[in-house]
């Protein structure tokens, strides 16, 4: 065989070896990603009780994540951050030192972001408390007035308060007596109210379109999973579409479509906790498909629906 042919065959063999090597490395990379365990991923573990939801957020190392501006219908109490962060809330930017406790009122738009890249896995805890339960605890604590408790300090480093919430969360995550958990929850919320709360409405600017926005908000709360159009909402508000969007954003803090998305995601969490498959959850909550739900879920919560791990608890309060 001529030397040139040997040379061509040698080059061809080297090329095939190179392709085979790249293919093996690619398969190994895919296999590694598929074999990731819970400890290698961002995740949220949730414990649901009748009056509260406790979430344990776990974040792996990497760049800080920015959550989009959103609202909750519940009080949100966040603590246990192992790094500094910032919250844009009530027209101001609040810096949150490591270990601080943050209180967000129901219906108040806010966003959050870390201030530094994470060099190791970190966790924090978030408790969502129903407004009705918070109001009931305020009455039990002997507070006068009929309004919801209002907390003037968004960020606090009160060590006794943080210690009580840490103890509460450890108890809720463990198997134990329902009576003990319910009693601990009551005493912790009452301690928060008496130490930090006031029974007064949060200051808000009133304007003539407020009643219209309230009607639209009530409609979205009742029909969050429906394919509602802006024309439908404008008719309910008796405002033009543009006027409705600007008024809704001014009153609620986010536009109508973002508010509806947040309601759908909250419902999705509840259905995931009930054990529904992700595809069924997407259909039940009005998302186009599973990928649409996954995109929005990860955008708002930093994890995919598959990394949201609900825990069943029999604690009653």
């Amino acid at each position: 065989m001529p030397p040139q042919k040997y040379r061509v065959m040698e080059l061809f063999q080297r090329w095939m070896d190179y392709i085979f090597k790249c293919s093996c490395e690619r398969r190994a990379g895919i296999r590694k990603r598929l074999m990731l365990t819970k400890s290698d991923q961002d995740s949220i573990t949730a414990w649901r009780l009748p009056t509260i939801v406790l979430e344990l957020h776990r974040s792996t190392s990497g760049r800080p994540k920015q959550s989009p501006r959103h609202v909750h219908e519940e009080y949100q109490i966040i603590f246990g951050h192992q790094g500094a962060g910032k919250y844009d809330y009530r027209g101001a930017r609040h810096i949150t030192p490591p270990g601080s406790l943050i209180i967000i009122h129901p219906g108040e738009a806010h966003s959050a972001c870390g201030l530094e890249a994470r060099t190791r896995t970190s966790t924090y805890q978030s408790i969502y408390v129903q407004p009705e339960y918070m109001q009931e605890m305020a009455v039990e604590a002997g507070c006068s007035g009929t309004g919801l408790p209002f907390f003037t300090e968004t960020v606090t480093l009160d060590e006794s308060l943080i210690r009580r919430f840490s103890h509460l969360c450890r108890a809720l995550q463990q198997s134990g007596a329902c009576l003990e958990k319910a009693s601990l929850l009551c005493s912790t919320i009452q301690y928060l109210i008496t130490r930090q709360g006031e029974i007064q409405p949060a200051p808000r600017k009133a304007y003539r379109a407020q009643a219209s926005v309230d009607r639209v908000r009530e409609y979205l709360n009742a029909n969050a999973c429906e394919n509602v159009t802006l024309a439908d909402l404008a008719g309910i508000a008796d405002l033009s579409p543009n006027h409705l969007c600007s008024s809704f954003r001014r009153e609620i803090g986010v536009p109508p479509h973002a508010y509806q998305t947040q309601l759908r995601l909250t419902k999705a969490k509840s259905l995931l906790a009930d054990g529904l498959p992700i595809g069924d959850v997407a259909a039940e909550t009005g998302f186009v498909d599973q990928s649409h739900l996954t995109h929005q879920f990860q955008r708002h919560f930093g994890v995919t629906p598959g990394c949201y791990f609900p825990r069943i608890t029999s604690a009653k309060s």
Side-chain angles (χ1 to χ4, degrees):
M1 186 177 293
Q4 293 85 352
K5 288 189 177 181
Y6 280 115
R7 179 61 177 167
V8 170
M9 291 179 63
E10 181 183 0
L11 292 175
F12 178 77
Q13 186 61 46
R14 288 183 180 179
W15 175 247
M16 293 301 296
D17 290 344
Y18 174 76
I19 293 177
F20 179 74
K21 179 182 177 182
C22 291
S23 176
C24 290
E25 290 177 349
R26 183 173 180 272
R27 286 199 298 269
I30 294 174
R31 197 158 51 242
K32 183 179 179 180
R33 289 193 295 271
L34 291 176
M35 292 176 63
L36 285 173
T37 62
K38 293 179 183 179
S39 61
D40 301 313
Q41 306 176 64
D42 291 355
S43 64
I44 301 176
T45 306
W47 291 263
R48 304 183 69 88
L49 289 86
T51 54
I52 71 165
V53 175
L54 166 65
E55 291 183 346
L56 174 62
H57 294 248
R58 186 180 185 280
S59 300
T60 55
S61 59
R63 294 182 300 174
K65 297 177 181 178
Q66 171 79 47
S67 69
R69 192 167 174 81
H70 61 285
V71 297
H72 303 290
E73 293 303 307
E74 310 87 4
Y75 287 89
Q76 185 183 19
I77 303 166
I78 310 109
F79 64 98
H81 275 290
Q82 296 165 337
K86 61 181 179 181
Y87 278 75
D88 292 329
Y89 170 64
R90 297 183 68 80
R93 174 158 293 179
H94 303 270
I95 302 301
T96 58
S100 57
L101 185 142
I102 305 106
I103 304 173
I104 305 294
H105 289 83
E108 296 282 358
H110 60 283
S111 63
C113 183
L115 290 179
E116 53 194 18
R118 297 181 300 274
T119 58
R120 57 187 177 85
T121 299
S122 62
T123 61
Y124 71 91
Q125 292 159 315
S126 182
I127 296 179
Y128 298 89
V129 184
Q130 293 292 337
E132 297 81 7
Y133 182 73
M134 190 73 81
Q135 188 175 35
E136 179 185 342
M137 290 300 99
V139 174
E140 293 290 335
C143 298
S144 59
T146 58
L148 291 173
F150 179 69
F151 302 95
T152 55
E153 289 190 40
T154 299
V155 182
T156 179
L157 289 168
D158 187 321
E159 292 184 2
S160 63
L161 190 58
I162 294 171
R163 188 163 52 248
R164 282 174 176 258
F165 270 99
S166 297
H167 180 49
L168 170 65
C169 288
R170 286 194 299 271
L172 294 179
Q173 293 173 33
Q174 298 170 358
S175 58
C178 298
L179 179 59
E180 178 185 359
K181 293 182 179 181
S183 300
L184 185 58
L185 174 62
C186 290
S187 63
T188 304
I189 295 299
Q190 288 181 7
Y191 186 79
L192 169 67
I193 293 170
T194 55
R195 196 165 179 89
Q196 300 278 345
E198 300 176 3
I199 305 300
Q200 64 178 36
R204 305 176 73 179
K205 295 181 179 179
Y207 59 96
R208 63 179 184 172
Q210 182 173 338
S212 298
V213 170
D214 288 342
R215 289 199 302 272
V216 169
R217 185 175 187 174
E218 290 173 3
Y219 182 83
L220 287 175
N221 287 342
N223 300 276
C225 301
E226 301 299 325
N227 188 19
V228 181
T229 67
L230 182 58
D232 294 335
L233 299 182
I236 293 169
D238 195 22
L239 299 172
S240 70
N242 287 340
H243 191 188
L244 169 61
C245 286
S246 61
S247 299
F248 196 96
R249 182 190 286 271
R250 183 169 62 234
E251 171 67 9
I252 307 302
V254 294
H257 74 274
Y259 183 76
Q260 183 188 41
T261 298
Q262 182 65 35
L263 292 174
R264 289 177 171 183
L265 290 171
T266 301
K267 178 67 174 177
K269 279 185 175 182
S270 178
L271 294 177
L272 288 170
D274 291 339
L276 262 68
I278 299 174
D280 293 347
V281 172
E284 287 286 334
T285 51
F287 289 99
V288 176
D289 52 27
Q290 181 172 328
S291 64
H292 185 206
L293 167 62
T294 299
H295 171 74
Q296 291 293 342
F297 203 95
Q298 187 165 32
R299 178 171 176 262
H300 282 76
F301 307 127
V303 301
T304 64
C307 291
Y308 183 78
F309 305 112
R311 293 288 185 267
I312 304 301
T313 176
S314 60
K316 298 179 180 180
S317 54

